Amino acid sequence: LVQGYLGSPGTWRNSGIVATLHNHGWVDTGHLTLSPAGVLKFGPVAESTRRLVTVDLPTEAPTVIQADMLAHYIAELRRQTGEKRVVVVGHSAGGVVGRLAMVRHQGAGIDGLVTIASPHLGTGAADMGRVIGQSPLSWITPFLGLGTINRSQALYHDLSEERPWNLLGWLNRQPHPAATYVSVVRVRNG
């Protein structure tokens, strides 16, 4: 399970998603985090065909960095468990990160991708974050507790509305590996 922008592995647990999945037969086997010693796994190794794990990603970092870390986590998870099939579930920016990992690391063994409210065509919120970060307002954002706006400029560029020169413009035109894809979107009435 891949969290979205400013989320954490705990987001999935605190929201009740992990509990709901547990009630449907999934076993929570903890989460993966990166340390100077390499990938550390926190949680039990479950003998189940339906395991779930969360990952710790730097959600303010550019999507390429997050996608490469995700591919590394998946490789380590497959090594630790012997798992052949991996399905990535990503919320918001985490869905774009999962899709980018599939395209950049086609041998990673990602057999499926579920994205929930992911901005595959970009988001105006990222465009707004870029405008603020490139204006004189960026000087005061840290004093207002909004330093993440300055730290997230490269990510905002990646998630800006799709254009030929940004990441989504590139990603949306790449061949994607054979896999199961599910995208959950919200449609507004009117």
Side-chain angles (χ1 to χ4, degrees):
L1 301 173
V2 181
Q3 70 272 16
Y5 178 56
L6 300 181
S8 73
T11 302
W12 294 98
R13 289 175 181 80
N14 297 338
S15 68
I17 298 294
V18 169
T20 299
L21 289 170
H22 179 74
N23 290 337
H24 287 88
W26 291 88
V27 177
D28 181 3
T29 60
H31 74 273
L32 300 174
T33 191
L34 192 60
S35 78
V39 175
L40 299 175
K41 183 174 181 298
F42 297 98
V45 175
E47 294 301 323
S48 172
T49 58
R50 300 180 86 186
R51 294 183 286 242
L52 67 90
V53 66
T54 54
V55 295
D56 195 13
L57 293 175
T59 64
E60 295 175 342
T63 53
V64 170
I65 291 171
Q66 294 184 61
D68 289 351
M69 283 183 71
L70 177 60
H72 184 70
Y73 283 143
I74 290 168
E76 182 62 20
L77 180 68
R78 291 180 71 207
R79 187 190 68 72
Q80 287 181 17
T81 64
E83 189 65 53
K84 301 284 186 242
R85 251 191 107 198
V86 174
V87 175
V88 172
V89 177
H91 172 253
S92 191
V96 174
V97 167
R99 190 161 66 104
L100 183 59
M102 289 179 78
V103 168
R104 284 179 52 88
H105 303 277
Q106 294 195 20
I110 302 172
D111 295 313
L113 175 67
V114 177
T115 63
I116 304 166
S118 294
H120 296 294
L121 298 177
T123 173
D127 289 324
M128 180 63 73
R130 287 187 66 215
V131 167
I132 292 170
Q134 295 171 6
S135 77
L137 289 174
S138 68
W139 302 339
I140 62 169
T141 56
F143 300 107
L144 300 174
L146 301 172
T148 188
I149 291 173
N150 296 339
R151 292 188 303 268
S152 302
Q153 287 298 298
L155 176 68
Y156 294 157
H157 183 268
D158 291 348
L159 299 177
S160 290
E161 289 188 35
E162 177 193 47
R163 294 180 178 91
W165 59 83
N166 69 6
L167 179 112
L168 289 176
W170 174 83
L171 181 60
N172 290 341
R173 285 156 184 81
Q174 297 305 303
H176 285 55
T180 301
Y181 294 91
V182 176
S183 187
V184 180
V185 296
R186 176 178 60 183
V187 177
R188 297 179 197 222
N189 292 333

